[in-house]
Amino acid sequence: MDILVCVKQVPGSSDVEVDPVTGVLKREGFSTKLNPYDLYSIEMAMSLREKYGGTVRAITMGPPQAKQALLETVWMGADGGVLLTDRAFGGADCLATSYALSQAVHKMSSYDLILCGKQTTDGDTAQVGSELSEELGIPNIGNAISIKLEREGFITVTQNLDDRIVTAEIPLPCLVCVDGDINSPRLPSYKRSKQVPQNAFTSLTLKDIEDQDKTHYGLLGSRTNVERIFPPEKNADRKTLTGTSSELATQISDILKTGKFIG
Ligand SMILES: Cc1cc2nc3c(=O)[nH]c(=O)nc-3n(C[C@H](O)[C@H](O)[C@H](O)COP(=O)(O)OP(=O)(O)OC[C@H]3O[C@@H](n4cnc5c(N)ncnc54)[C@H](O)[C@@H]3O)c2cc1C
């Protein structure tokens, strides 16, 4: 089974800065890490390769430093990776990110399965996976806790939908968003870090992909943009409510109505 794993490099700490003009997170020069949710999808890809054979390749869209995220994926066992990087992709929202990734996937050799993490720890929209599958015209399923190959051309996916567990059969190729905390991601291997083959990575820029219209990517290609990122105001106001549960419910709804939190 040939698997592509989408991974993202995210800020390494909450010490982040936002470009006051574009509202976009500054990434260059700030500590970074591999998106924690992607560790579970990478581990899922490794165990599928161990069971069914095939290849595991990672793909990331980001600034040149995002290559580090691909390196860590190869140290965990991936066969190689593709870095999609170009100033034109900067400031992308989910739609522009998914579209750019889909253009890169079209450039890569065939695949059977695309794995994405549940969400990222910075944008945290949990939208890219399903939007990427839409751009590629393949089915997708989320909250996956296990994947099995039980019938030629199909995978059987078990989903955790919080109030119930559902099992579904999906035709390949398809995209699966892997739930968090479903396995114990293996540690990057020091030995592998010393043996990464030169040709393990490919870089793709705007001139390497089919659609080279800059207005489809980055800030220009985004339908949403982050107006302002700011820490929520903390205030120390306290009000102790007393009464029976229905009296408390009335008092709380009055406070919410006064605050225009509810209509
Ligand atoms: C604070 C903040 C708020 C934002 N709010 C919005 C918003 O409301 N709407 C909007 O459209 N954009 C928003 N963005 C921009 C959005 O973060 C970027 O478009 C980002 O590249 C993708 O979204 P995400 O981080 O939410 O990914 P998610 O959809 O949470 O990521 C899910 C999975 O998709 C894959 N993936 C995500 N990004 C990449 C990548 N660059 N390369 C490879 N695989 C990837 C990974 O497998 C990841 O686990 C926001 C950004 C920030 C920093």
Side-chain angles (χ1 to χ4, degrees):
M1 184 151 40
D2 292 325
I3 304 172
L4 299 183
V5 189
C6 295
V7 298
K8 187 182 179 188
Q9 188 177 58
V10 295
S13 73
S14 53
D15 161 29
V16 293
E17 243 184 69
V18 176
D19 180 310
V21 181
T22 62
V24 171
L25 218 52
K26 290 186 184 168
R27 295 187 189 272
E28 272 154 60
F30 286 83
S31 75
T32 58
K33 63 182 178 187
L34 183 56
N35 175 39
Y37 288 95
D38 295 337
L39 296 173
Y40 302 108
S41 46
I42 298 165
E43 182 57 34
M44 174 77 86
M46 298 301 153
S47 56
L48 287 170
R49 186 184 61 189
E50 279 149 16
K51 264 195 225 126
Y52 307 113
T55 61
V56 174
R57 288 167 293 158
I59 176 169
T60 192
M61 182 189 92
Q65 73 200 47
K67 184 172 178 192
Q68 182 63 29
L70 293 180
L71 260 176
E72 287 169 41
T73 312
V74 167
W75 297 345
M76 285 177 71
D79 302 295
V82 170
L83 171 63
L84 180 63
T85 188
D86 197 301
R87 281 207 167 284
F89 304 144
D93 71 354
C94 297
L95 199 64
T97 299
S98 316
Y99 182 68
L101 287 171
S102 72
Q103 287 286 308
V105 170
H106 286 316
K107 284 294 289 186
M108 297 168 75
S109 58
S110 72
Y111 60 90
D112 300 302
L113 177 64
I114 300 180
L115 294 183
C116 286
K118 182 178 183 180
Q119 60 202 92
T120 66
T121 52
D122 60 348
D124 189 9
T125 61
Q127 289 175 27
V128 169
S130 36
E131 291 185 18
L132 174 57
S133 70
E134 202 53 39
E135 295 289 355
L136 294 170
I138 59 175
N140 82 83
I141 188 168
N143 304 90
I145 52 179
S146 83
I147 299 176
K148 294 193 189 94
L149 197 56
E150 293 179 331
R151 191 155 72 96
E152 184 64 30
F154 291 79
I155 51 171
T156 306
V157 178
T158 305
Q159 289 181 286
N160 167 11
L161 298 180
D162 295 342
D163 60 351
R164 64 193 184 285
I165 300 291
V166 171
T167 300
E169 197 181 54
I170 316 275
L172 294 171
C174 67
L175 184 146
V176 176
C177 296
V178 174
D179 213 357
D181 306 318
I182 54 148
N183 53 35
S184 312
R186 65 199 61 195
L187 292 173
S189 122
Y190 176 76
K191 193 158 155 261
R192 280 189 69 87
S193 72
K194 294 295 164 214
Q195 295 164 337
V196 177
Q198 277 310 316
N199 60 0
F201 302 105
T202 323
S203 274
L204 292 177
T205 66
L206 183 65
K207 67 175 180 16
D208 303 312
I209 55 182
E210 199 175 325
D211 175 1
Q212 296 175 14
D213 179 342
K214 279 192 176 168
T215 65
H216 295 165
Y217 303 100
L219 271 176
L220 295 177
S222 295
R223 305 285 171 71
T224 62
N225 45 50
V226 177
E227 288 244 332
R228 195 162 65 97
I229 299 180
F230 56 94
E233 285 125 31
K234 289 198 186 78
N235 61 41
D237 303 358
R238 295 251 177 304
K239 185 177 171 62
T240 308
L241 306 177
T242 54
T244 64
S245 46
S246 64
E247 284 162 352
L248 288 173
T250 315
Q251 290 176 49
I252 293 170
S253 86
D254 291 348
I255 291 168
L256 293 174
K257 278 187 192 135
T258 320
K260 295 199 174 8
F261 295 109
I262 57 173

